Amino acid sequence: MKRSASRPGIAVIATFLGLTIAIGWLATFGIGHRAELAILKTLAFREGVTSDLLILVAQWVSWVGDTAQRTLEVILFAGWLLWRRRNIAALVMLVISPLTGATSSLLKEAFGRARPEIVPHLDLVTSLSYPSGHAANAMATLVLAVLLINPVRRSYWLAVAILSAIIIGGSRIVLAVHWPSDVLGGWFWGAGFALLGLWIVEKQEALSKSEANANPDVPAP
């Protein structure tokens, strides 16, 4: 099977991104608010009630998804791709993660959703609520890394990447700093950008290979 056959379609990418927009509109009009309220009241950790160890673990997981740690991950992944002489993939790895973060921040301003105030926050917050940047960025970074590096047992590592993004996003709920729909919307947004990154890389690498085949005397990039 040709490698290009695995390339995700624009329709699939648009579906993931569109789901984020749709969930945001539903939240804006209060659809599902009661259910979210019940979920948050049930899952949110509380100082003096929840084990201090559980709170610390959730805060640590959330810290792993912060900008500084994620940036280091992106640099390491891009470095590996450069070492494998996949320059286009390395560049896309470096661009997609910050692009996901920047666009999710724009969505926060567009939707203007306030953070939940059900119980005291267990982590510092400095921005609006929808979508969750932690959820979006973790999903985009980790999933894209697996898709581009294409390790042995790819399905296994893809499952690990998705599970890790789910855990990071879930930590934002138990720390009471995000509504459940914030995290769900963030996951879809990140998944859409991960697939977009894969689409760009596979399209450009297929084009480069085609040009190299057409001009065998010209070294491939």
Side-chain angles (χ1 to χ4, degrees):
M1 182 180 294
K2 293 182 179 180
R3 187 175 184 178
S4 60
S6 66
R7 190 186 307 157
I10 290 297
V12 176
I13 296 168
T15 297
F16 277 106
L17 300 180
L19 283 170
T20 300
I21 303 300
I23 293 170
W25 277 112
L26 291 175
T28 298
F29 290 105
I31 298 174
H33 180 69
R34 289 185 179 179
E36 288 202 86
L37 196 60
I39 292 171
L40 200 54
K41 285 182 177 179
T42 301
L43 297 181
F45 291 170
R46 297 163 173 82
E47 284 188 334
V49 177
T50 306
S51 163
D52 290 342
L53 178 59
L54 283 178
I55 293 175
L56 182 62
V57 169
Q59 290 172 334
W60 180 84
V61 169
S62 184
W63 175 85
V64 170
D66 285 347
T67 302
Q69 289 67 249
R70 186 177 65 252
T71 300
L72 178 59
E73 293 169 3
V74 169
I75 292 172
L76 290 174
F77 293 141
W80 174 264
L81 290 166
L82 279 174
W83 183 69
R84 298 300 299 272
R85 299 183 179 180
R86 296 187 60 201
N87 298 342
I88 295 172
L91 178 60
V92 169
M93 188 75 241
L94 288 171
V95 169
I96 285 293
S97 183
L99 184 60
T100 304
T103 53
S104 65
S105 294
L106 290 175
L107 287 181
K108 285 178 185 287
E109 296 300 324
F111 286 107
R113 191 183 197 186
R115 298 274 181 166
E117 297 290 348
I118 310 305
V119 298
H121 297 162
L122 294 176
D123 195 17
L124 178 67
V125 293
T126 58
S127 62
L128 293 166
S129 199
Y130 186 89
S132 164
H134 276 70
N137 293 320
M139 187 67 76
T141 300
L142 298 176
V143 171
L144 180 59
V146 172
L147 293 175
L148 294 185
I149 293 173
N150 195 23
V152 176
R153 300 180 65 191
R154 184 184 191 184
S155 297
Y156 167 79
W157 286 110
L158 187 58
V160 170
I162 293 172
L163 179 60
S164 298
I166 288 174
I167 292 173
I168 290 172
S171 73
R172 307 302 286 167
I173 297 174
V174 298
L175 292 174
V177 295
H178 271 297
W179 298 98
S181 61
D182 298 341
V183 173
L184 181 61
W187 285 330
F188 283 133
W189 195 251
F193 271 87
L195 293 178
L196 176 62
L198 177 64
W199 183 85
I200 292 171
V201 169
E202 293 201 334
K203 186 173 184 179
Q204 291 303 312
E205 288 186 345
L207 181 61
S208 296
K209 185 177 180 179
S210 177
E211 291 176 348
N213 290 336
N215 300 281
D217 295 331
V218 178

